[in-house]
Amino acid sequence: MIAMTSDAAVKRAAELRDGLNRANRLYYIDQAPEISDAEWDAMLRELQTLEAEHPELLTPDSPTQRVGAPPSDGFEEVVHPTPMLSLGNVFDREELEAWHRRVSEYVEVDRFDMTCELKIDGLAIAIRYENGSLVQAATRGDGIRGEDVTANVRTIRSIPLRLVGDDVPSTLEVRGEVFFPISAFERFNAERVEGGLQTYVNPRNSASGSLRQLDPAETAARPLDAFIYSVSAFDGDGPETQSGILDALKRWGFKINSWSRVAADLDGVSTAFDAATADRPGLDYGIDGLVIKVDDLALQARLGTVGRDPRWATAWKFPAEQATTRLNQIAINVGRTGSLTPYAILEPVFVGGVTVSQATLHNADVIADKDIREGDLVIVQRAGDVIPQVVGPAPENKRGSDSKPFEMPDRCPACDSAVVPDDEDVVIRCVNGRCPAQAVRLLEHFASRGAMDIEGLGEKLVSVLYRQEFVADVSDIFGLADRREELIEIDRMGEISVTNLLAAIENSKKQPLARLITGLGVPHLGSENAELIAGHYLSLDALIDASLRANIWRNIPLEGDGGPDLIENLIGIEGIGPTIAESIRDWLGLYTNLRILRNLRNHGVKPPPIIKRDEDDLTLAGLRFVVSGRLESLSRQEAQGRIKELGGAVSSSVSGKTNYLVIGADPGSKYDSAIRLNVPVLEEQQFLDLLAGGAPGVTETVETRVPKSEAIRNTLFD
Ligand code: IVH
């Protein structure tokens, strides 16, 4: 109905929009308002009236359209056009120098400018503009897929709905960080307390909680803010440096963090880091370090990414945050193999963004080294996602006359039987085979993700089931199906959770043998060795058979039949040493364990049979792999399983003997080791190609080295 719209109305609407957008920018971004709130309100009302009279004038990027989208049931998935990356970390000048050296060597350039930006502690956001109008906003999610939070992002006043300037690319995707200002966070939490609502732990959590509200009006009611720091997709000519990008973003109407500065060398970066440390307490937003980016975009492109981390940037993190609190008690946790581990029960203290009330103390030696005692005032620290740690007594700590050094108990706190020191490690163990604490831990371990992966059967439920005598050993888990009605009666269980639990238990019956073996909790036997053992026995039946022989031998110790023979067979498996072989023999040789294995079989636990491959299929024979970081199309364990199926070996750390490091997201320090040792690095797709029988596509991100295996060498160089 454009014809019915008067030219005057069109013109006035445009004027009002421009005026409001400009006022908005001056107020929320430049913090230099030129008009009063009353003038702003009057303009907005006039525009609302005009748009109501002429609905055809209404555009989605109109300033009247920030709030107003109806609540939704959930968020749509958005696949990011290019992955949203994460960042590698450095913690000191030395590590920064190592990063700088790697960059220099990679591009063979000695000196390069670096942009230093504050690392905003909020949540990453990607926003897409078409012809200057905001069309979509998404959270980071797993970096590949995020959630569509467009309606909520539109309510953030410092994010422009419409861009300004004639050099705005027709399609533009920008990325930045949404945050909850600290001052506003404190006010907001205080209001929640008054309203009887749960408070948020820290500004970061509240930013994330606020952005993920299903009702945009709810998001609009919270004072979220955002800094934009990058352009992920560009068409046409653009700036040539990161600092140029920041300038362009600012010109187009985005709020950028003006603290950013360019450093010509490492001393410049150090100065910037010191300045950030000094400025931090005065900022109204949380920062957790400095982001250092190679300024030259052409250099950035040459450097590329490895896994999910760009080579061209790194984060220099602030040291762990510390706080002082009272160590109320040193308590003891009894593990699944009976190991007694001391842990600190602390007066709850807020540090590094969370409230800490417990921290492991590892063992008596650690406690002695740190010189901490019950009742001490101690320093607690937490860095980023790292688990909290007790550093030592606080300088102002005073001890009373009753203070005494900690001693490990000589009886198990769970079953009161005598404990014994383990010769091999510093651990003290409860060796009571019927210790309830051990039984519960073992059940937990059996159901855990790394073993049988039975969803819903966690720590709490396991304790309840054990205490109420539903389960005594792991095989009893599979008998629960017959006790459905009784289970429903358990406090907080109910029909649905029992149905889900029983379904999860039923599904787990088909878990691979290696997972089952891992779950049995044989001392010293981790998941990697469990793979090897599974590859040796191939079926549960064969394992039961070995247990039977080991039991017979235990009672009638003759040559062969489970004694020396069994051990020799086990030691014959590549990668299995004498300690583990003996541990397995001892475990299999216990009658209770034979009974557990048989009960598992009787309850229908049936791992799929393992099929041994022909020698010809073992395309990875002789190659040693390390897998690090999060992969997308398969889990790390699956990846390791595939390598082993094809005859390759898997180790947990990179050494000179490693042939390939396979990396996913956040590969961590293994990647650095690989570069240092010149070990070829495979990204996920290259790894998948290799599994499929091809050569790993040699791209820029792969440092090549001739692999040892003939099979691979042929595919690579034919
Ligand atoms: S650059 C290149 N610049 O930190 C990939 N990220 O640990 C990283 N972050 O997911 C983006 N402030 O959410 C960049 N000035 C800044 C940043 C920043 C905060 C966040 C971002 C990213 C995370 C990586």
Side-chain angles (χ1 to χ4, degrees), residues 18 36 66 76 101 239 374 446 613 683 685:
D18 286 350
S36 69
R66 285 213 177 257
E76 296 283 317
R101 216 173 308 121
E374 281 183 350
F446 184 80
R613 300 225 178 198
E683 292 198 49
Q685 190 52 51

Side-chain angles (χ1 to χ4, degrees), residues 84-90 99 117-120 140 229 288 290-293 308-317 666-668:
M84 286 184 82
L85 303 173
S86 44
L87 283 173
N89 286 333
V90 300
W99 169 78
E117 297 170 18
L118 297 178
K119 186 166 188 304
I120 316 297
R140 178 176 190 276
Y229 48 68
D288 55 353
L290 199 63
V291 183
I292 300 135
K293 304 176 183 174
R308 296 274 182 82
D309 296 345
R311 283 198 185 82
W312 46 266
T314 192
W316 187 348
K317 294 292 230 18
D666 305 326

Side-chain angles (χ1 to χ4, degrees), residues 16 30 46 57 63-64 90 93-94 182 189 197 337 357 372 389 426 431-432 446 497-498 500 527 589 619 699:
L16 287 167
D30 302 337
E46 189 185 341
L57 283 180
T64 58
V90 300
R93 168 85 187 225
E94 211 178 300
I182 295 172
N189 249 355
L197 297 167
T337 56
S357 53
I372 43 184
Q389 231 188 330
V426 279
V431 289
N432 172 12
F446 184 80
S497 29
V498 170
N500 291 342
S527 57
T619 50
T699 70

